[in-house]
């Protein structure tokens, strides 16, 4: 498929409407195909999921509440084991992760790192938001017209924190912002087990960063909440078995912002007609799995996210902007 043949600019033009419709169908079909393909993943994370006997049908509000009720959260300074009376525990912030961003009428945007961000010219739109969430080492410098300049929050996987080439301690893009670091651990593992056997050693550089600046807003996401998020996605996905690997940083970011924001825009998460085989807008890696998924249950994540969308098809598939909107503060307490 050549996405360029489906590009158009006049939303109300019948030809444009038809191009958008056809492209949408192709994208959703491909996401469904990847989600449903036969999976023979080794169960490295020891996932022991018990399927619901009856899978509920989710409307938009119920899907949103499904993610909010997961309560993806960060670990905090505590007097409980395994963090009491050790250096790691003493360095963790007392404050809840992202607590300072709550409040009425905050505008929020999640910026994908997809190759399709290049030439998007969404920089001004992104910077118009109060809260801008980015991932890993995705840069803004030299890409401002497409991705903007503002960064409020970054979600980092433990590889970015631990590997020397990312320079977590010193790199400017990791300074003076809120950071959430995640590492999955094993499914149903205790925190003690995870501390002794993370996927990547995030703890050494985390401790170094916090000792350099005890007021840094750097948090470690509770791995148990990451697997609760996987469970919620599997519940939503009904009869199809998910890949037995943790969710993506993107999906974790969505679950973190939904409780804070009445509206969340997500750019280039569902592929638009700018779709490219490039993994990221800032490098030359070619791999379609970056868009549709191969290791993470990415296709299932994108289909669930699209089920919550209230933006027009033109917005999603031509502009690359998806929108999730909560009806009210108490929507998920009913």
């Amino acid at each position: 498929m050549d996405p360029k043949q489906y590009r158009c600019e006049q939303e109300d033009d019948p030809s444009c409407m038809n191009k958008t419709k056809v492209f949408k169908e192709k994208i959703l079909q491909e996401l469904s195909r990847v989600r449903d393909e036969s999976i023979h993943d080794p169960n490295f994370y020891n996932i022991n999921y018990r399927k619901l006997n009856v899978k509920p049908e989710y409307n938009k509000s119920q899907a949103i509440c499904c993610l909010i009720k997961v309560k993806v959260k960060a670990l905090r300074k505590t007097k409980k084991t395994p963090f009491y009376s050790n250096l790691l525990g003493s360095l963790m912030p007392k404050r809840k992760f992202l607590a300072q961003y709550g409040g009425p009428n905050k505008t929020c945007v999640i910026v994908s790192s997809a190759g399709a961000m290049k030439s998007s010219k969404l920089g001004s739109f992104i910077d118009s938001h109060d809260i801008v969430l980015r991932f890993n080492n995705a840069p803004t410098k030299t890409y401002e017209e497409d991705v903007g300049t503002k960064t409020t929050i970054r979600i980092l996987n433990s590889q970015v924190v631990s590997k020397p080439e990312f320079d977590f301690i010193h790199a400017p893009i990791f300074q003076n912002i809120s950071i959430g670091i995640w590492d999955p651990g094993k499914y149903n593992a205790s925190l003690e087990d995870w501390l002794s056997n993370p996927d990547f050693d995030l703890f050494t550089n985390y401790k170094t960063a916090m000792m350099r600046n005890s007021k840094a807003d750097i948090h470690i996401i509770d791995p148990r909440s990451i697997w609760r998020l996987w469970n919620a996605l599997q519940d939503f996905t009904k009869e199809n078995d998910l890949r037995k690997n943790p969710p993506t940083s993107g999906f974790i970011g969505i679950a973190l912002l939904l409780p804070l924001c009445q509206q969340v825009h997500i750019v280039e998460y569902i592929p638009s007609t700018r779709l490219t085989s490039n993994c990221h807008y800032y490098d030359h890696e070619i791999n379609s799995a970056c868009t549709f998924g191969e290791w993470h249950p990415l296709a299932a994540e994108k289909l669930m996210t699209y089920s919550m969308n209230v933006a027009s098809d033109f917005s999603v598939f031509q502009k690359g902007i998806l929108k999730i909107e909560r009806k009210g503060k108490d929507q998920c307490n009913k």
Side-chain angles (χ1 to χ4, degrees):
M1 176 180 67
D2 179 9
K4 292 181 181 178
Q5 66 180 304
Y6 300 104
R7 290 180 189 170
C8 57
E9 297 182 357
Q10 301 297 323
E11 182 173 5
D12 297 330
D13 178 72
S15 174
C16 184
M17 293 171 66
N18 186 61
K19 286 182 177 181
T20 303
K21 179 182 177 182
V22 173
F23 182 77
K24 167 188 170 180
E25 290 172 351
K26 289 181 178 294
I27 290 298
L28 296 182
Q29 286 173 3
E30 180 62 11
L31 287 170
S32 296
R33 184 194 69 77
V34 174
R35 178 199 62 190
D36 299 345
E37 67 185 358
S38 179
I39 299 169
H40 301 288
D41 292 334
N43 194 356
F44 175 80
Y45 291 98
N46 302 328
I47 292 175
N48 182 22
Y49 169 81
R50 182 171 295 178
K51 288 186 179 182
L52 300 177
N53 291 328
V54 178
K55 296 288 186 180
E57 294 290 336
Y58 289 90
N59 60 31
K60 283 183 174 64
S61 294
Q62 290 167 332
I64 291 169
C65 291
C66 178
L67 295 190
I68 289 176
K69 289 179 178 179
V70 167
K71 296 183 178 179
V72 174
K73 60 183 181 180
L75 299 164
R76 298 162 64 193
K77 187 177 292 186
T78 177
K79 292 185 177 181
K80 298 179 180 179
T81 56
F83 303 113
Y84 183 55
S85 297
N86 65 39
L87 179 59
L88 179 63
S90 70
L91 293 170
M92 288 180 176
K94 289 183 179 179
R95 183 173 61 185
K96 289 182 179 179
F97 184 40
L98 307 182
Q100 70 271 38
Y101 297 115
N105 304 316
K106 287 288 179 68
T107 58
C108 304
V109 63
I110 296 175
V111 185
S112 129
S113 301
M117 288 300 301
K118 188 173 286 189
S119 301
S120 69
K121 297 183 179 179
L122 289 173
S124 295
F125 171 78
I126 290 166
D127 282 345
S128 70
H129 293 76
D130 298 316
I131 299 171
V132 180
L133 187 153
R134 303 182 191 273
F135 301 100
N136 295 321
N137 62 317
T140 58
K141 191 174 182 179
T142 75
Y143 301 97
E144 293 90 347
E145 184 180 16
D146 295 328
V147 306
T149 61
K150 183 188 297 186
T151 303
T152 317
I153 306 163
R154 280 189 187 268
I155 305 301
L156 312 181
N157 64 47
S158 54
Q159 293 188 57
V160 172
V161 175
S162 62
K163 291 185 175 180
E165 59 263 35
F166 297 107
D167 195 16
F168 171 69
I169 302 299
H170 304 103
I173 62 172
F174 303 132
Q175 309 302 315
N176 304 314
I177 58 171
S178 297
I179 291 177
I181 303 167
W182 72 275
D183 181 278
K186 297 293 192 292
Y187 188 90
N188 282 339
S190 67
L191 289 176
E192 289 88 347
D193 289 339
W194 170 64
L195 286 169
S196 64
N197 188 31
D199 271 12
F200 293 88
D201 175 22
L202 66 157
F203 305 118
T204 298
N205 279 343
Y206 177 81
K207 287 185 284 189
T208 299
M210 295 304 290
M211 285 188 289
R212 285 167 59 95
N213 179 8
S214 62
K215 295 183 179 180
D217 194 25
I218 307 175
H219 298 251
I220 299 175
I221 296 172
D222 189 330
R224 297 169 299 183
S225 65
I226 291 170
W227 288 114
R228 290 198 301 270
L229 184 60
W230 187 96
N231 287 344
L233 180 62
Q234 179 65 88
D235 288 343
F236 177 85
T237 309
K238 300 181 181 179
E239 68 275 5
N240 303 102
D241 290 332
L242 291 185
R243 296 189 177 280
K244 292 182 173 63
N245 296 312
T248 62
S249 295
F251 204 56
I252 293 168
I254 292 169
L256 281 166
L257 282 199
L258 280 178
L260 297 177
C261 312
Q262 288 295 116
Q263 296 179 353
V264 179
H265 286 110
I266 311 173
V267 294
E268 279 302 344
Y269 187 62
I270 304 298
S272 76
T273 54
R274 290 190 298 272
L275 173 65
T276 173
S277 55
N278 286 85
C279 252
H280 308 116
Y281 65 84
Y282 53 85
D283 63 29
H284 301 291
E285 181 182 354
I286 303 295
N287 188 349
S288 63
C290 294
T291 299
F292 294 100
E294 183 176 53
W295 191 79
H296 294 288
L298 180 58
E301 295 174 10
K302 293 190 176 190
L303 288 168
M304 183 175 186
T305 302
Y306 182 69
S307 78
M308 299 181 274
N309 172 61
V310 297
S312 68
D313 287 347
F314 185 84
S315 176
V316 175
F317 296 101
Q318 296 293 348
K319 293 184 176 180
I321 303 172
L322 178 145
K323 180 180 179 181
I324 302 176
E325 187 171 57
R326 290 195 289 124
K327 291 182 178 178
K329 187 175 181 181
D330 300 323
Q331 171 184 334
C332 298
N333 295 327
K334 296 179 181 179

